[in-house]
Short mmCIF file of all heavy atoms in Angstrom, two decimals:
data_model
loop_
_atom_site.label_atom_id
_atom_site.label_comp_id
_atom_site.label_asym_id
_atom_site.label_seq_id
_atom_site.Cartn_x
_atom_site.Cartn_y
_atom_site.Cartn_z
N LYS A 428 135.13 29.80 138.39
CA LYS A 428 135.50 28.38 138.41
C LYS A 428 136.34 28.08 139.57
O LYS A 428 136.16 27.05 140.27
CB LYS A 428 136.08 27.95 137.09
CG LYS A 428 136.44 26.46 137.02
CD LYS A 428 137.08 26.09 135.65
CE LYS A 428 137.49 24.56 135.65
NZ LYS A 428 138.13 24.23 134.31
N GLN A 429 137.44 28.98 139.80
CA GLN A 429 138.26 28.66 140.97
C GLN A 429 137.60 28.72 142.22
O GLN A 429 137.78 27.84 143.07
CB GLN A 429 139.39 29.68 140.90
CG GLN A 429 140.48 29.53 139.72
CD GLN A 429 141.42 30.62 139.74
OE1 GLN A 429 141.10 31.84 139.87
NE2 GLN A 429 142.74 30.29 139.45
N ILE A 430 136.82 29.83 142.50
CA ILE A 430 136.15 29.83 143.84
C ILE A 430 135.13 28.74 144.06
O ILE A 430 134.96 28.20 145.10
CB ILE A 430 135.58 31.21 144.14
CG1 ILE A 430 135.13 31.41 145.61
CG2 ILE A 430 134.40 31.54 143.10
CD1 ILE A 430 134.81 32.73 145.93
N ALA A 431 134.50 28.33 142.97
CA ALA A 431 133.56 27.25 143.07
C ALA A 431 134.23 25.91 143.39
O ALA A 431 133.66 25.10 144.23
CB ALA A 431 132.77 27.10 141.72
N ALA A 432 135.30 25.69 142.78
CA ALA A 432 136.06 24.42 143.16
C ALA A 432 136.52 24.48 144.65
O ALA A 432 136.49 23.39 145.30
CB ALA A 432 137.33 24.31 142.21
N ASN A 433 136.91 25.59 145.14
CA ASN A 433 137.33 25.73 146.52
C ASN A 433 136.14 25.53 147.46
O ASN A 433 136.19 24.87 148.49
CB ASN A 433 138.05 27.04 146.83
CG ASN A 433 139.41 27.07 146.21
OD1 ASN A 433 140.33 26.46 146.73
ND2 ASN A 433 139.62 27.84 145.17
N VAL A 434 135.00 26.11 147.11
CA VAL A 434 133.80 25.80 147.82
C VAL A 434 133.49 24.41 147.90
O VAL A 434 133.18 23.81 149.06
CB VAL A 434 132.58 26.65 147.22
CG1 VAL A 434 131.24 26.16 147.93
CG2 VAL A 434 132.82 28.17 147.34
N ALA A 435 133.57 23.75 146.81
CA ALA A 435 133.29 22.27 146.82
C ALA A 435 134.26 21.44 147.71
O ALA A 435 133.81 20.60 148.48
CB ALA A 435 133.38 21.79 145.35
N ALA A 436 135.56 21.77 147.68
CA ALA A 436 136.53 21.11 148.41
C ALA A 436 136.24 21.28 149.94
O ALA A 436 136.20 20.32 150.75
CB ALA A 436 137.90 21.52 148.11
N ILE A 437 135.96 22.54 150.32
CA ILE A 437 135.75 22.86 151.77
C ILE A 437 134.47 22.22 152.20
O ILE A 437 134.40 21.63 153.31
CB ILE A 437 135.73 24.39 151.90
CG1 ILE A 437 137.16 24.93 151.71
CG2 ILE A 437 135.21 24.73 153.35
CD1 ILE A 437 137.15 26.45 151.59
N ALA A 438 133.45 22.18 151.38
CA ALA A 438 132.17 21.73 151.75
C ALA A 438 132.17 20.22 151.98
O ALA A 438 131.64 19.71 152.91
CB ALA A 438 131.08 22.01 150.72
N VAL A 439 132.85 19.48 151.05
CA VAL A 439 132.96 18.04 151.21
C VAL A 439 133.72 17.61 152.39
O VAL A 439 133.31 16.77 153.23
CB VAL A 439 133.63 17.47 150.03
CG1 VAL A 439 133.96 16.00 150.23
CG2 VAL A 439 132.73 17.64 148.76
N MET A 440 134.90 18.23 152.71
CA MET A 440 135.74 17.98 153.84
C MET A 440 134.98 18.27 155.15
O MET A 440 134.95 17.49 156.06
CB MET A 440 137.10 18.76 153.75
CG MET A 440 137.90 18.61 154.98
SD MET A 440 138.46 16.90 155.13
CE MET A 440 139.61 16.63 153.79
N THR A 441 134.30 19.46 155.14
CA THR A 441 133.67 19.91 156.40
C THR A 441 132.50 19.01 156.77
O THR A 441 132.33 18.53 157.90
CB THR A 441 133.17 21.37 156.20
OG1 THR A 441 134.30 22.18 155.93
CG2 THR A 441 132.53 21.80 157.50
N HIS A 442 131.66 18.63 155.69
CA HIS A 442 130.47 17.82 155.95
C HIS A 442 130.91 16.46 156.47
O HIS A 442 130.32 15.91 157.37
CB HIS A 442 129.63 17.70 154.79
CG HIS A 442 128.50 16.84 154.88
ND1 HIS A 442 128.57 15.49 154.60
CD2 HIS A 442 127.21 17.09 155.26
CE1 HIS A 442 127.43 14.95 154.92
NE2 HIS A 442 126.62 15.81 155.28
N ALA A 443 131.84 15.84 155.80
CA ALA A 443 132.28 14.51 156.15
C ALA A 443 132.82 14.51 157.63
O ALA A 443 132.52 13.54 158.38
CB ALA A 443 133.38 13.98 155.13
N VAL A 444 133.74 15.46 157.94
CA VAL A 444 134.20 15.41 159.31
C VAL A 444 133.11 15.65 160.33
O VAL A 444 133.05 15.00 161.42
CB VAL A 444 135.29 16.57 159.54
CG1 VAL A 444 135.67 16.83 160.96
CG2 VAL A 444 136.58 16.23 158.63
N ALA A 445 132.15 16.52 160.06
CA ALA A 445 131.10 16.82 161.01
C ALA A 445 130.10 15.64 161.07
O ALA A 445 129.43 15.53 162.08
CB ALA A 445 130.34 18.12 160.51
#
Side-chain angles (χ1 to χ4, degrees):
K428 181 179 178 181
Q429 286 175 319
I430 191 170
N433 285 290
V434 169
I437 293 168
V439 170
M440 178 61 70
T441 303
H442 177 271
V444 169

